[in-house]
Amino acid sequence: MSVDVIDRLQAMAATPGRVWMRGGHPVTYGDLLAETGRMANALAGLGLAKGDRLLVQLDKSEAVLSLYLACLRLGVVFLPVNPGYTIAETAHFLTDAEPALALVEDRRQQAIAERGAKAIGLGAFLDLVAAGQADFADPAHAPEDLAAILYTSGTTGRSKGVCLSRENLASNAEALVELWQFTEHDVLLHVLPVFHTHGLFVATNCVLFAGASMIFQRAFSPDAVLAALPEVTVMMGVPTFYSRLLADARLTPAVCARVRLFISGSAPLSPATHAEWRVRTGHTILERYGMTETNMITSNPYDGDRRAGTVGMPLPGVKVRITGPDGAVLPAGEAGSIEVMGPNVFVGYWRMPEQTAREFRDGWFVTGDLGAIDAEGYLSILGRAKDLVITGGLNVYPAEVEAALDDLPGVAASAVIGVAHPDFGEAVVACLIRSAGAELDEAEVRHTLRDRLAGFKIPKRVLVMAEFPRNAMGKVQKAELRKALAGLFGAN
Ligand code: AMP
């Protein structure tokens, strides 16, 4: 069993002066423990008890991390929701999760209350916290107790509530701290959203478990990141952060002089960005793979070859296998369904036992991602099960075609989808964004790909777009692209 998140917090707070958040007015672990105690008392005063859900829909701020820890202290289930969701979208979480309380920005409090939920605005809540006691007698917790429910981003189908236990979070934090060699001397740049597993758990728990500190920024801006980088030892980001920083001339090796590790995840990092980052900064980005349901699954090595286009090997204690359509385990090099087992894998979907059962096979969680493990153990992700294009009866993995397209001069980004086709069933279609100043010609792109890809993999159409539909984590919303292009070949 792993050390519980709160036991870790208590241990770190025992060292006076140990800094949790840097910046103008540093916050120590002692301050953090006191603040989470006041918050836990305030939540208990509002009637929340162990097992109740607290829906938190707040703009990114330091308070959200304290709230997460306060919930863990009280045993209340933390349920963060993207602040970008409309009231109508948020209503789904209110009816599905039945939170005992919704803590929202003041401007939303009335609209949420009108949906029948007990709601409190952040201002009123922080007044209660400020007036309260820091001393809080932590009750005992079990590793299997529910810590949080995170709703899936819904890139495929309806959003489901992912139930995560305390052990899920703690085991993953311990594995990542060990693998990425976090120590108390690290300073992490926190620029990710805090309603998603990446910023909420990966970034925050690595810092907490190592007793390290963070520089907390409320949104990603190249100006702020470049200003902070000289103080930073580790940065975690989504691929879009890295490509946006590359577009800024101020990104130099000197700015990154203290950094020991750049980590990318949540969406595929293009090999071009990986290569360009190395040229520009001297650092090789470490790409890792995970999902809300499983926390982190694999990572490229800390010491050793970090291979572009791969997500590395399973974390300590985590097992990964690739299976074929009949469920048989496939040998190295063969593409199939990625399945995961370990203490990182979630408890189940909230009140969806049948859905949960469908997504497990013999105790292995079926991720819905497609991939292959090479002879040296590196996993490559080839797309989502839903993304797989079957054209004229042949399987095409979008990631393979995207990799070929990304290598072409003038291509800044690519997204490959299947579109209904009267002859082939589905046709491979490529959507491209061009680099600044570049020209892209459809016939020429298709012709050039002939050297790299078998004929059936070459896109039937190549469309140049100004931008792709993306979600908050920078993931391309392929379902949106598929919808927009459904009639491209006159078939539906
Ligand atoms: P989420 O639950 O929002 O974190 O989304 C998880 C999904 O993001 C995974 O199932 C993958 O499809 C995708 N993903 C995460 N990390 C990577 C990565 N490094 N490369 C490619 N896809 C990734």
Side-chain angles (χ1 to χ4, degrees):
M1 262 329 131
S2 316
V3 176
D4 187 80
V5 176
I6 295 307
D7 292 338
R8 208 66 203 168
L9 168 60
Q10 300 274 13
M12 292 308 156
T15 307
R18 188 192 281 273
V19 175
W20 158 248
M21 265 187 208
R22 292 176 179 244
H25 186 69
V27 179
T28 65
Y29 279 82
D31 297 334
L32 178 65
L33 188 68
E35 181 71 353
T36 57
R38 278 189 291 268
M39 283 184 170
N41 283 323
L43 291 171
L46 287 162
L48 275 86
K50 185 170 168 152
D52 286 343
R53 276 80 58 206
L54 174 71
L55 183 144
V56 173
Q57 187 178 37
L58 295 173
D59 298 336
K60 184 177 178 183
S61 78
E62 294 81 343
V64 178
L65 297 189
S66 304
L67 270 164
Y68 149 58
L69 295 167
C71 284
L72 279 178
R73 291 189 71 179
L74 194 56
V76 160
V77 181
F78 186 67
L79 195 166
V81 171
N82 184 339
Y85 284 163
T86 62
I87 299 292
E89 286 168 318
T90 307
H92 168 67
F93 310 118
L94 297 173
T95 42
D96 195 55
E98 297 182 304
L101 181 70
L103 172 52
V104 297
E105 295 293 340
D106 295 346
R107 60 179 185 274
R108 289 181 147 236
Q109 192 259 336
Q110 198 181 338
I112 294 288
E114 281 167 9
R115 296 280 174 158
K118 182 176 172 191
I120 186 169
L122 181 62
F125 179 73
L126 291 180
D127 287 345
L128 284 178
V129 171
Q133 287 289 326
D135 286 338
F136 176 78
D138 287 279
H141 299 291
E144 62 275 13
D145 287 349
L146 220 50
I149 299 178
L150 266 61
Y151 278 81
T152 56
S153 47
T155 42
T156 53
R158 190 162 90 72
S159 197
K160 298 166 275 190
V162 175
C163 297
L164 296 158
S165 70
R166 303 176 82 95
E167 174 66 11
N168 288 154
L169 304 185
S171 69
N172 213 234
E174 286 185 351
L176 294 176
V177 163
E178 178 193 331
L179 190 74
W180 295 339
Q181 300 186 16
F182 267 87
T183 72
E184 59 183 351
H185 303 297
D186 275 311
V187 180
L188 175 111
L189 182 56
H190 197 308
V191 271
L192 291 156
V194 285
F195 55 82
H196 183 269
T197 185
H198 197 171
L200 180 60
F201 299 137
V202 183
T204 307
N205 292 344
C206 276
V207 170
L208 179 64
F209 273 63
S213 60
M214 66 170 85
I215 294 176
F216 189 87
Q217 297 186 343
R218 295 190 175 194
F220 173 84
S221 104
D223 283 347
V225 167
L226 289 161
L229 266 184
E231 308 294 320
V232 164
T233 66
V234 181
M235 177 175 147
M236 293 183 187
V238 292
T240 331
F241 291 178
Y242 291 105
S243 51
R244 290 203 191 146
L245 288 169
L246 280 170
D248 196 306
R250 292 169 296 176
L251 179 73
T252 58
V255 174
C256 310
R258 264 197 83 190
V259 180
R260 66 172 182 88
L261 185 58
F262 287 102
I263 301 173
S264 175
S266 292
L269 180 74
S270 84
T273 304
H274 193 270
E276 205 181 331
W277 193 267
R278 178 145 46 175
V279 171
R280 284 282 294 285
T281 67
H283 285 273
T284 306
I285 299 175
L286 178 153
E287 187 171 7
R288 99 293 181 282
Y289 160 61
M291 60 195 301
T292 306
E293 286 90 334
T294 59
N295 297 283
M296 297 305 101
I297 305 169
T298 68
S299 167
N300 269 279
Y302 186 79
D303 295 313
D305 201 8
R306 298 177 195 163
R307 295 199 187 150
T310 84
V311 292
M313 298 84 165
L315 302 187
V318 176
K319 288 189 282 188
V320 175
R321 69 180 192 182
I322 307 290
T323 61
D326 56 357
V329 178
L330 297 177
E334 285 191 28
S337 157
I338 303 176
E339 301 184 358
V340 187
M341 191 189 271
N344 54 318
V345 176
F346 74 131
V347 178
Y349 293 112
W350 175 253
R351 291 183 181 160
M352 291 177 115
E354 293 89 19
Q355 181 73 30
T356 304
R358 264 199 298 279
E359 299 199 16
F360 281 84
R361 201 199 319 257
D362 313 328
W364 293 76
F365 175 63
V366 180
T367 60
D369 291 316
L370 301 169
I373 299 175
D374 71 15
E376 284 154 290
Y378 286 80
L379 175 68
S380 294
I381 296 176
L382 300 167
R384 301 275 309 160
K386 280 205 163 175
D387 283 351
L388 179 72
V389 185
I390 306 182
T391 182
L394 297 167
N395 288 1
V396 178
Y397 294 99
E400 187 188 0
V401 183
E402 286 161 3
L405 287 162
D406 290 345
D407 281 351
L408 300 182
V411 174
S414 65
V416 167
I417 57 168
V419 174
H421 189 282
D423 190 19
F424 296 103
E426 269 188 311
V428 177
V429 171
C431 304
L432 299 181
I433 296 175
R434 59 173 161 244
S435 321
E439 287 295 325
L440 288 173
D441 176 76
E442 175 164 11
E444 207 175 300
V445 168
R446 296 185 64 237
H447 184 79
T448 318
L449 286 178
R450 283 206 209 141
D451 295 338
R452 254 195 82 166
L453 298 173
F456 70 94
K457 295 180 187 169
I458 295 185
K460 298 279 182 297
R461 290 294 312 272
V462 175
L463 309 171
V464 178
M465 301 184 167
E467 221 355 299
F468 295 148
R470 290 182 191 271
N471 73 5
M473 301 307 286
K475 260 194 269 276
V476 179
Q477 305 290 78
K478 288 195 173 176
E480 300 281 313
L481 282 177
R482 276 194 285 267
K483 218 186 305 169
L485 299 174
L488 192 62
F489 299 101
N492 251 318

